[in-house]
Amino acid sequence: MAYLMGIDMGTTSVKTAVFDEALQEKMKLTADYTLDSKGDTVEFPAEQYWEIVKGEIAKVTAELKIDALAIDTQCETLILTDEAGNPVRPAIVWLDNRATKEAEAIEKHFGRQKVYEVTGQPEVTATWPACKLLWVKNNEPEVWAKTKRVFLLEDYILFKMTGRFVTEKTLQSSTIYFDIKGNCWWQEMLDFIGVSKDVLPELLDSGIYVGDYAGIKVTTGAMDQVSGAIGAGVVKPGIVSVMTGTTMVIFTPSEGVPAYDPASIVPCHYNYDGKYCLLSWSPTAGMALKWFRNALCEHFSFRELDELAAPIAPGSDGVTFLPYLCGSTMPKYNPAARGSFTGLTTEHGRGHFVRAVMESIACTLKSNLEYLSLDVSEIRAMGGGATSPLWCQMKSDMTGKTLLTLKNTETACLGAAILAGVGTGVFASVEAAAERILTNKVYKPQGADYTECYARYCAYDNILNV
């Protein structure tokens, strides 16, 4: 029985989990860390990423013999090193937003349409590695002169483990110097930002054996959202995943790159299988319920909030909440949008407010699925929102779709472990492994009528979110 390790390198924590061939979880660890953040600048010592990962692997191997591992990370964290792989400055974390002028220069030169048609990214933002590299070139010439290798986070950890300078294609999707159709570096963009192919790693697919570390076979992984989708079994069209954590992220496989739409900001990424995937996200989801609890129901648990909301009829007796506590992104981009309660009377109490908040996130899910024009047969729910039976049933009724939760909640770790198994021959394919993923609860539409509720939500959105 092979033991497979998946390492999920999040923005402020590293999660590690071990699974057997039946995808049963055997061990789980979490290590937290704090970023160095000041204004638009967000950095972290690159060597510390490796020290954390190395320490977590040591803890696991002290108890279990691991056969193979893979890592998933966020896409845009940039690490610049010398020829030997020694960092020449702190890592520029994906959240870093300093390269606004560089983003403007790239957009002016190429235009959004061309960038999208080559890279799948409908916007040119300061967070993309192309913009960050141009910023370093323009502002840190001494660092630029020393830079001989350009890593993203997963690449750097693979290099520290195996000595190989490689990357995988899902991770490179949002660099905006990777051609997702040609599966190669975009030379025109590299020429513009002044980067040679010689400083970039070898491009590989996900789930490819790279080398060994401490007697463990190491394979390429995938970007965090792709890995999480694999771990949720979202490996074919018709099945989508919805992550309801602080934010909401909807992931769907796609057969191709949709045609450019100047009104759309939905990105298309390279997927593990040589196909593509679409990512839609909203900045406020579970955060809205957490805000309401902390501000107005601070002595209630989330389970008690469910109990308050459960007796209230669908539609919250006319109360509508717009969840724009951090602006609106998709399907309507409006950073200036703000949250609001409407339709209040003296007959409304706490339960109405709680249910209205929950219904607003279900409405957001429905509106995003409609915006993406997806033929969805099944939704797989992840994140903290998936632990609420009331919320899950609400989303099923609101969308008219079957919704499933999963026995394993660390889907990104599981996805990475599956890729480790594929890369070492434990599994014949990602799809074959996905058949072993165990679901937990199944929610089917039960006839609750949210027609008027959703119509009110859309009407108020058209008035207040402009």
Side-chain angles (χ1 to χ4, degrees), residues 109-183:
H109 182 81
F110 291 96
R112 289 191 179 190
Q113 181 169 350
K114 186 169 185 178
V115 171
Y116 174 80
E117 288 175 348
V118 177
T119 73
Q121 301 305 311
E123 298 180 286
V124 181
T125 76
T127 59
W128 300 157
C131 305
K132 292 172 177 172
L133 286 170
L134 190 54
W135 184 93
V136 174
K137 179 185 176 184
N138 292 341
N139 294 276
E140 296 181 348
E142 70 289 350
V143 170
W144 190 254
K146 296 176 184 176
T147 298
K148 303 301 179 185
R149 299 194 181 202
V150 174
F151 293 90
L152 298 185
L153 183 51
E154 181 191 335
D155 313 336
Y156 180 69
I157 301 300
L158 289 175
F159 179 80
K160 298 298 287 188
M161 286 184 177
T162 69
R164 289 188 61 187
F165 187 35
V166 297
T167 188
E168 50 81 17
K169 299 168 188 174
T170 72
L171 190 68
Q172 297 292 335
S173 287
S174 56
T175 59
I176 68 169
Y177 48 77
F178 174 64
D179 181 340
I180 64 171
K181 294 180 180 177
N183 294 336

Side-chain angles (χ1 to χ4, degrees), residues 248-262:
M248 175 185 285
V249 180
I250 300 171
F251 179 103
T252 178
S254 174
E255 292 296 329
V257 180
Y260 176 70
D261 177 357

Side-chain angles (χ1 to χ4, degrees), residues 295-311:
L296 299 168
C297 294
E298 60 270 31
H299 301 302
F300 287 74
S301 66
F302 286 112
R303 178 175 293 181
E304 289 170 327
L305 293 185
D306 275 12
E307 292 171 354
L308 285 173

Side-chain angles (χ1 to χ4, degrees), residues 131-391:
C131 305
K132 292 172 177 172
L133 286 170
L134 190 54
W135 184 93
V136 174
K137 179 185 176 184
N138 292 341
N139 294 276
E140 296 181 348
E142 70 289 350
V143 170
W144 190 254
K146 296 176 184 176
T147 298
K148 303 301 179 185
R149 299 194 181 202
V150 174
F151 293 90
L152 298 185
L153 183 51
E154 181 191 335
D155 313 336
Y156 180 69
I157 301 300
L158 289 175
F159 179 80
K160 298 298 287 188
M161 286 184 177
T162 69
R164 289 188 61 187
F165 187 35
V166 297
T167 188
E168 50 81 17
K169 299 168 188 174
T170 72
L171 190 68
Q172 297 292 335
S173 287
S174 56
T175 59
I176 68 169
Y177 48 77
F178 174 64
D179 181 340
I180 64 171
K181 294 180 180 177
N183 294 336
C184 60
W185 301 119
W186 184 16
Q187 187 62 54
E188 193 175 354
M189 180 63 76
L190 295 181
D191 290 342
F192 182 80
I193 63 178
V195 171
S196 167
K197 288 182 182 178
D198 296 340
V199 305
L200 298 175
E202 177 186 358
L203 285 164
L204 301 176
D205 286 317
S206 298
I208 300 296
Y209 170 67
V210 177
D212 289 5
Y213 171 73
I216 304 170
K217 293 184 183 300
V218 179
T219 78
T220 51
M223 64 173 277
D224 49 7
Q225 296 297 336
V226 169
S227 188
I230 292 171
V234 181
V235 296
K236 59 183 178 181
I239 301 177
V240 305
S241 65
V242 56
M243 169 68 77
T244 306
T246 300
T247 64
M248 175 185 285
V249 180
I250 300 171
F251 179 103
T252 178
S254 174
E255 292 296 329
V257 180
Y260 176 70
D261 177 357
S264 174
I265 59 170
V266 176
C268 181
H269 288 263
Y270 186 91
N271 204 355
Y272 74 92
D273 56 0
K275 297 181 182 177
Y276 304 95
C277 58
L278 305 178
L279 286 176
S280 177
W281 70 283
S282 300
T284 309
M287 176 195 295
L289 192 61
K290 185 175 182 180
W291 160 79
F292 184 82
R293 186 195 67 171
N294 292 347
L296 299 168
C297 294
E298 60 270 31
H299 301 302
F300 287 74
S301 66
F302 286 112
R303 178 175 293 181
E304 289 170 327
L305 293 185
D306 275 12
E307 292 171 354
L308 285 173
I312 306 301
S316 302
D317 292 329
V319 178
T320 301
F321 179 65
L322 294 184
Y324 304 134
L325 303 179
C326 299
S328 169
T329 55
M330 299 178 191
K332 189 184 296 183
Y333 181 70
N334 181 9
R338 292 295 177 260
S340 63
F341 282 103
T342 52
L344 309 181
T345 72
T346 57
E347 297 178 359
H348 294 125
R350 272 199 182 108
H352 293 91
F353 288 97
V354 176
R355 187 173 188 105
V357 171
M358 298 174 79
E359 287 178 345
S360 75
I361 305 307
C363 287
T364 300
L365 172 60
K366 179 178 175 66
S367 66
N368 273 272
L369 293 178
E370 290 179 349
Y371 179 65
L372 293 168
S373 299
L374 299 176
D375 182 15
V376 177
S377 59
E378 180 180 294
I379 299 170
R380 298 204 169 192
M382 303 179 289
T387 63
S388 166
L390 175 66
W391 216 349

Side-chain angles (χ1 to χ4, degrees), residues 444-458:
K444 292 183 178 293
Q446 293 184 346
D449 187 359
Y450 282 97
T451 305
E452 193 269 340
C453 173
Y454 185 62
R456 269 192 288 110
Y457 174 88
C458 294

